[in-house]
Amino acid sequence: MAYFDSTKNRAKWDIELAALRRERELRRQSGGAAAEPVQRSTEYAPRIVRMTYQDLLKEEAEASQKEPSRRPAEKVAGREQKKQREMMQNEAAQHEVK
């Protein structure tokens, strides 16, 4: 448990345990859920954003419209020209061999 070797991490854990103990005691006293929940550390808590599938699709569509095309037409044209030159060179080489 190397996590507790660090005094910083041990202090964070002690704070978290103290908060959990207070919450447990409050629940015990009230006989159920705590009336005022103890404020827990949100340092590691993920942020949850609720959205529907349709909202997600709309967001992705908007993002894809904003992004520039990954292959500019110039690069594609340059590749096609290079392929054509290579094909012509290969054909010329084949005619020379025959």
Side-chain angles (χ1 to χ4, degrees), residues 57-67:
L57 290 176
K58 187 186 302 182
E59 187 176 300
E60 288 180 351
E62 289 172 0
S64 66
Q65 289 174 356
K66 291 178 184 176
E67 291 180 10

Side-chain angles (χ1 to χ4, degrees), residues 23-64:
E23 187 174 347
R24 182 175 58 192
E25 189 59 36
L26 284 173
R27 286 183 185 198
R28 229 185 249 151
Q29 289 174 359
S30 66
E36 291 182 34
V38 177
Q39 191 71 331
R40 296 186 70 185
S41 165
T42 59
E43 183 178 344
Y44 300 108
R47 182 169 176 244
I48 298 173
V49 177
R50 296 190 185 272
M51 65 178 359
T52 64
Y53 181 67
Q54 296 300 324
D55 292 338
L56 179 63
L57 290 176
K58 187 186 302 182
E59 187 176 300
E60 288 180 351
E62 289 172 0
S64 66

Side-chain angles (χ1 to χ4, degrees), residues 7 11 14 18 33 42 45 68-70 80 92 94:
T7 55
D14 288 339
T42 59
S69 63
R70 295 184 184 247
E80 289 176 3
Q94 287 176 356

Side-chain angles (χ1 to χ4, degrees), residues 74 76-87:
E74 299 165 357
V76 174
R79 288 180 186 160
E80 289 176 3
Q81 289 175 356
K82 184 177 178 182
K83 284 181 184 179
Q84 287 178 353
R85 274 189 254 126
E86 288 176 357
M87 287 175 50

